Short mmCIF file of all heavy atoms in Angstrom, two decimals:
data_model
loop_
_atom_site.label_atom_id
_atom_site.label_comp_id
_atom_site.label_asym_id
_atom_site.label_seq_id
_atom_site.Cartn_x
_atom_site.Cartn_y
_atom_site.Cartn_z
N GLY A 88 -17.89 9.23 -4.53
CA GLY A 88 -19.08 8.37 -4.70
C GLY A 88 -18.88 7.05 -4.19
O GLY A 88 -19.85 6.25 -3.93
N THR A 89 -17.60 6.59 -3.95
CA THR A 89 -17.36 5.21 -3.44
C THR A 89 -17.82 5.12 -2.00
O THR A 89 -17.86 6.02 -1.31
CB THR A 89 -15.82 4.97 -3.33
OG1 THR A 89 -15.15 5.44 -4.57
CG2 THR A 89 -15.39 3.61 -3.06
N LEU A 90 -18.35 3.89 -1.74
CA LEU A 90 -18.74 3.59 -0.39
C LEU A 90 -17.60 2.90 0.40
O LEU A 90 -16.94 1.95 -0.21
CB LEU A 90 -19.90 2.61 -0.41
CG LEU A 90 -21.34 3.25 -0.59
CD1 LEU A 90 -22.37 2.12 -0.52
CD2 LEU A 90 -21.65 4.30 0.43
N VAL A 91 -17.29 3.27 1.58
CA VAL A 91 -16.24 2.67 2.36
C VAL A 91 -16.68 2.37 3.76
O VAL A 91 -17.62 2.99 4.28
CB VAL A 91 -15.02 3.59 2.48
CG1 VAL A 91 -14.32 3.71 1.14
CG2 VAL A 91 -15.34 4.96 3.08
N LEU A 92 -16.12 1.35 4.28
CA LEU A 92 -16.32 0.95 5.76
C LEU A 92 -15.03 1.55 6.50
O LEU A 92 -13.93 1.40 6.03
CB LEU A 92 -16.30 -0.51 5.92
CG LEU A 92 -17.66 -1.20 5.68
CD1 LEU A 92 -17.38 -2.71 5.42
CD2 LEU A 92 -18.63 -1.06 6.83
N ALA A 93 -15.33 2.10 7.71
CA ALA A 93 -14.21 2.62 8.44
C ALA A 93 -14.57 2.69 9.90
O ALA A 93 -15.68 3.02 10.31
CB ALA A 93 -13.73 3.98 7.96
N PRO A 94 -13.60 2.43 10.82
CA PRO A 94 -13.83 2.64 12.27
C PRO A 94 -13.69 4.14 12.57
O PRO A 94 -12.73 4.55 13.30
CB PRO A 94 -12.70 1.82 12.93
CG PRO A 94 -11.66 1.79 11.93
CD PRO A 94 -12.18 1.92 10.54
N SER A 95 -14.60 4.95 11.96
CA SER A 95 -14.41 6.41 12.00
C SER A 95 -14.99 7.06 13.23
O SER A 95 -14.94 8.28 13.40
CB SER A 95 -14.93 6.94 10.71
OG SER A 95 -16.24 6.43 10.46
N GLY A 96 -15.74 6.23 14.13
CA GLY A 96 -16.32 6.79 15.33
C GLY A 96 -17.66 7.41 14.98
O GLY A 96 -18.15 7.43 13.81
N TRP A 97 -18.16 8.06 16.01
CA TRP A 97 -19.55 8.70 15.88
C TRP A 97 -19.32 10.13 15.22
O TRP A 97 -19.32 11.10 16.01
CB TRP A 97 -20.15 8.83 17.20
CG TRP A 97 -20.63 7.55 17.86
CD1 TRP A 97 -20.27 6.26 17.53
CD2 TRP A 97 -21.60 7.27 18.85
NE1 TRP A 97 -20.93 5.27 18.31
CE2 TRP A 97 -21.77 5.96 19.10
CE3 TRP A 97 -22.39 8.17 19.66
CZ2 TRP A 97 -22.57 5.52 20.10
CZ3 TRP A 97 -23.27 7.73 20.60
CH2 TRP A 97 -23.37 6.33 20.86
N ARG A 98 -19.03 10.20 14.02
CA ARG A 98 -18.81 11.43 13.33
C ARG A 98 -19.61 11.56 12.09
O ARG A 98 -19.77 10.61 11.39
CB ARG A 98 -17.30 11.60 12.82
CG ARG A 98 -16.27 11.59 13.87
CD ARG A 98 -14.88 11.44 13.19
NE ARG A 98 -13.90 10.88 14.11
CZ ARG A 98 -13.29 11.47 14.95
NH1 ARG A 98 -13.33 12.83 15.06
NH2 ARG A 98 -12.38 10.85 15.83
N THR A 99 -20.00 12.80 11.66
CA THR A 99 -20.72 12.91 10.41
C THR A 99 -19.69 12.92 9.30
O THR A 99 -19.98 12.41 8.15
CB THR A 99 -21.54 14.17 10.35
OG1 THR A 99 -20.63 15.28 10.62
CG2 THR A 99 -22.68 14.07 11.40
N HIS A 100 -18.58 13.53 9.45
CA HIS A 100 -17.61 13.71 8.41
C HIS A 100 -16.20 13.38 8.92
O HIS A 100 -15.93 13.68 10.13
CB HIS A 100 -17.56 15.11 7.73
CG HIS A 100 -18.86 15.54 7.17
ND1 HIS A 100 -19.94 15.86 7.90
CD2 HIS A 100 -19.20 15.60 5.84
CE1 HIS A 100 -20.98 16.22 7.14
NE2 HIS A 100 -20.52 16.08 5.87
N PHE A 101 -15.28 12.94 8.09
CA PHE A 101 -13.96 12.73 8.51
C PHE A 101 -13.02 12.74 7.32
O PHE A 101 -13.50 12.51 6.16
CB PHE A 101 -13.78 11.41 9.31
CG PHE A 101 -14.02 10.20 8.58
CD1 PHE A 101 -13.05 9.48 8.00
CD2 PHE A 101 -15.31 9.76 8.50
CE1 PHE A 101 -13.33 8.25 7.26
CE2 PHE A 101 -15.64 8.62 7.72
CZ PHE A 101 -14.60 7.82 7.15
N ILE A 102 -11.74 12.97 7.53
CA ILE A 102 -10.76 12.92 6.45
C ILE A 102 -9.84 11.77 6.81
O ILE A 102 -9.39 11.60 7.91
CB ILE A 102 -9.95 14.23 6.38
CG1 ILE A 102 -10.83 15.36 5.89
CG2 ILE A 102 -8.76 14.11 5.44
CD1 ILE A 102 -10.20 16.75 5.89
N SER A 103 -9.61 10.88 5.73
CA SER A 103 -8.74 9.76 5.84
C SER A 103 -7.69 9.88 4.81
O SER A 103 -7.86 10.43 3.75
CB SER A 103 -9.53 8.47 5.75
OG SER A 103 -8.63 7.39 5.61
N ASN A 104 -6.48 9.29 5.14
CA ASN A 104 -5.51 9.20 4.06
C ASN A 104 -5.51 7.75 3.57
O ASN A 104 -4.61 7.30 2.81
CB ASN A 104 -4.04 9.53 4.57
CG ASN A 104 -3.65 8.62 5.76
OD1 ASN A 104 -4.37 7.69 6.04
ND2 ASN A 104 -2.58 8.88 6.33
N GLY A 105 -6.56 7.06 3.85
CA GLY A 105 -6.75 5.68 3.46
C GLY A 105 -6.30 4.69 4.53
O GLY A 105 -6.95 3.57 4.65
N ASP A 106 -5.40 5.08 5.35
CA ASP A 106 -4.96 4.20 6.39
C ASP A 106 -5.39 4.73 7.77
O ASP A 106 -5.44 3.92 8.67
CB ASP A 106 -3.34 4.19 6.43
CG ASP A 106 -2.82 3.50 5.23
OD1 ASP A 106 -3.48 2.66 4.75
OD2 ASP A 106 -1.70 3.96 4.70
N GLN A 107 -5.65 5.93 7.89
CA GLN A 107 -5.96 6.56 9.26
C GLN A 107 -7.17 7.50 9.10
O GLN A 107 -6.98 8.60 8.61
CB GLN A 107 -4.76 7.31 9.79
CG GLN A 107 -4.68 7.54 11.24
CD GLN A 107 -4.99 6.29 12.08
OE1 GLN A 107 -4.47 5.14 11.77
NE2 GLN A 107 -5.89 6.43 13.01
N PRO A 108 -8.38 7.09 9.56
CA PRO A 108 -8.71 5.83 9.93
C PRO A 108 -8.68 4.84 8.75
O PRO A 108 -8.87 5.33 7.55
CB PRO A 108 -10.19 5.95 10.43
CG PRO A 108 -10.74 7.12 9.75
CD PRO A 108 -9.57 8.02 9.55
N PRO A 109 -8.44 3.56 8.92
CA PRO A 109 -8.32 2.62 7.82
C PRO A 109 -9.59 2.37 7.09
O PRO A 109 -10.65 2.24 7.70
CB PRO A 109 -7.88 1.28 8.50
CG PRO A 109 -8.23 1.45 9.89
CD PRO A 109 -8.28 2.94 10.24
N LEU A 110 -9.54 2.59 5.77
CA LEU A 110 -10.76 2.38 4.98
C LEU A 110 -10.72 0.94 4.37
O LEU A 110 -9.74 0.35 4.03
CB LEU A 110 -10.74 3.38 3.80
CG LEU A 110 -10.69 4.78 4.20
CD1 LEU A 110 -10.84 5.66 2.83
CD2 LEU A 110 -11.74 5.21 5.18
N ARG A 111 -11.97 0.41 4.21
CA ARG A 111 -12.07 -0.95 3.56
C ARG A 111 -13.27 -0.78 2.62
O ARG A 111 -14.31 -0.08 2.92
CB ARG A 111 -12.52 -1.96 4.57
CG ARG A 111 -11.53 -2.34 5.64
CD ARG A 111 -12.05 -3.49 6.46
NE ARG A 111 -13.09 -3.17 7.37
CZ ARG A 111 -14.23 -3.89 7.53
NH1 ARG A 111 -14.40 -4.97 6.65
NH2 ARG A 111 -15.16 -3.57 8.32
N PRO A 112 -13.18 -1.47 1.52
CA PRO A 112 -14.31 -1.57 0.58
C PRO A 112 -15.35 -2.48 1.27
O PRO A 112 -15.03 -3.24 2.12
CB PRO A 112 -13.80 -2.13 -0.73
CG PRO A 112 -12.53 -2.85 -0.29
CD PRO A 112 -12.08 -2.28 0.99
N ILE A 113 -16.58 -2.34 0.80
CA ILE A 113 -17.52 -3.37 1.30
C ILE A 113 -17.16 -4.68 0.77
O ILE A 113 -16.98 -4.82 -0.49
CB ILE A 113 -18.96 -2.89 0.85
CG1 ILE A 113 -19.21 -1.53 1.55
CG2 ILE A 113 -20.07 -3.92 1.22
CD1 ILE A 113 -20.57 -1.04 1.70
N PRO A 114 -17.01 -5.68 1.63
CA PRO A 114 -16.33 -6.92 1.22
C PRO A 114 -17.25 -7.92 0.44
O PRO A 114 -16.88 -9.08 0.39
CB PRO A 114 -15.91 -7.53 2.55
CG PRO A 114 -16.85 -6.99 3.53
CD PRO A 114 -17.39 -5.74 3.07
N PHE A 115 -18.34 -7.44 -0.11
CA PHE A 115 -19.13 -8.40 -0.92
C PHE A 115 -19.90 -7.52 -1.88
O PHE A 115 -20.03 -6.36 -1.77
CB PHE A 115 -20.03 -9.29 -0.06
CG PHE A 115 -20.86 -8.39 0.87
CD1 PHE A 115 -22.07 -7.69 0.47
CD2 PHE A 115 -20.35 -8.08 2.19
CE1 PHE A 115 -22.70 -6.87 1.31
CE2 PHE A 115 -21.06 -7.19 3.03
CZ PHE A 115 -22.24 -6.67 2.55
N ASP A 116 -20.52 -8.29 -2.89
CA ASP A 116 -21.35 -7.49 -3.87
C ASP A 116 -22.72 -7.21 -3.27
O ASP A 116 -23.50 -8.06 -2.99
CB ASP A 116 -21.46 -8.45 -5.10
CG ASP A 116 -22.39 -7.81 -6.13
OD1 ASP A 116 -22.47 -6.56 -6.20
OD2 ASP A 116 -23.12 -8.60 -6.88
N LEU A 117 -23.01 -5.90 -3.10
CA LEU A 117 -24.17 -5.43 -2.51
C LEU A 117 -25.47 -5.70 -3.36
O LEU A 117 -26.45 -5.98 -2.88
CB LEU A 117 -24.17 -3.92 -2.23
CG LEU A 117 -23.72 -3.47 -0.89
CD1 LEU A 117 -23.72 -1.90 -0.90
CD2 LEU A 117 -24.61 -3.93 0.15
N GLY A 118 -25.20 -5.64 -4.63
CA GLY A 118 -26.43 -5.76 -5.57
C GLY A 118 -27.48 -4.66 -5.21
O GLY A 118 -27.15 -3.58 -4.98
N GLN A 119 -28.64 -5.18 -4.99
CA GLN A 119 -29.72 -4.21 -4.57
C GLN A 119 -29.93 -4.01 -3.08
O GLN A 119 -30.76 -3.28 -2.70
CB GLN A 119 -31.16 -4.73 -5.17
CG GLN A 119 -31.24 -4.88 -6.60
CD GLN A 119 -30.94 -3.61 -7.38
OE1 GLN A 119 -31.61 -2.58 -7.08
NE2 GLN A 119 -29.98 -3.61 -8.27
N LEU A 120 -28.98 -4.56 -2.27
CA LEU A 120 -29.16 -4.53 -0.84
C LEU A 120 -28.70 -3.17 -0.30
O LEU A 120 -27.88 -2.53 -0.96
CB LEU A 120 -28.24 -5.60 -0.20
CG LEU A 120 -28.53 -7.12 -0.63
CD1 LEU A 120 -27.62 -8.01 -0.04
CD2 LEU A 120 -29.96 -7.48 -0.22
N SER A 121 -29.22 -2.92 0.84
CA SER A 121 -28.86 -1.58 1.50
C SER A 121 -27.45 -1.68 1.99
O SER A 121 -27.06 -2.73 2.62
CB SER A 121 -29.82 -1.26 2.62
OG SER A 121 -29.17 -0.24 3.40
N PRO A 122 -26.65 -0.63 1.78
CA PRO A 122 -25.29 -0.63 2.36
C PRO A 122 -25.25 -0.85 3.87
O PRO A 122 -24.27 -1.22 4.42
CB PRO A 122 -24.57 0.72 1.99
CG PRO A 122 -25.56 1.34 0.96
CD PRO A 122 -26.91 0.66 1.07
N SER A 123 -26.32 -0.52 4.56
CA SER A 123 -26.40 -0.65 5.97
C SER A 123 -26.18 -2.07 6.45
O SER A 123 -25.76 -2.37 7.56
CB SER A 123 -27.76 -0.10 6.52
OG SER A 123 -28.70 -0.86 5.93
N LEU A 124 -26.48 -3.02 5.56
CA LEU A 124 -26.30 -4.45 5.94
C LEU A 124 -24.87 -4.82 6.25
O LEU A 124 -24.59 -5.81 6.95
CB LEU A 124 -26.89 -5.38 4.85
CG LEU A 124 -28.31 -5.27 4.39
CD1 LEU A 124 -28.73 -6.54 3.69
CD2 LEU A 124 -29.23 -4.99 5.52
N ALA A 125 -23.94 -4.00 5.68
CA ALA A 125 -22.48 -4.25 6.03
C ALA A 125 -22.09 -3.99 7.41
O ALA A 125 -21.05 -4.22 7.81
CB ALA A 125 -21.56 -3.39 5.13
N LEU A 126 -23.11 -3.49 8.18
CA LEU A 126 -22.91 -3.22 9.61
C LEU A 126 -23.66 -4.25 10.54
O LEU A 126 -23.55 -4.21 11.72
CB LEU A 126 -23.33 -1.81 10.00
CG LEU A 126 -22.61 -0.73 9.27
CD1 LEU A 126 -23.28 0.60 9.54
CD2 LEU A 126 -21.06 -0.59 9.65
N GLY A 127 -24.47 -5.06 9.92
CA GLY A 127 -25.36 -5.98 10.65
C GLY A 127 -25.28 -7.34 10.04
O GLY A 127 -24.40 -8.12 10.28
N PRO A 128 -26.40 -7.73 9.34
CA PRO A 128 -26.39 -9.15 8.83
C PRO A 128 -25.40 -9.49 7.87
O PRO A 128 -25.24 -10.68 7.51
CB PRO A 128 -27.88 -9.19 8.28
CG PRO A 128 -28.31 -7.82 7.98
CD PRO A 128 -27.64 -7.01 9.00
#
Side-chain angles (χ1 to χ4, degrees):
T89 310
L90 281 178
V91 289
L92 276 163
S95 43
W97 290 20
R98 298 172 205 275
T99 55
H100 298 78
F101 64 96
I102 291 174
S103 169
N104 59 10
D106 294 327
Q107 200 49 46
L110 304 185
R111 295 185 288 130
I113 296 201
F115 51 84
D116 172 31
L117 265 177
Q119 299 302 306
L120 301 175
S121 164
S123 58
L124 300 201
L126 300 170

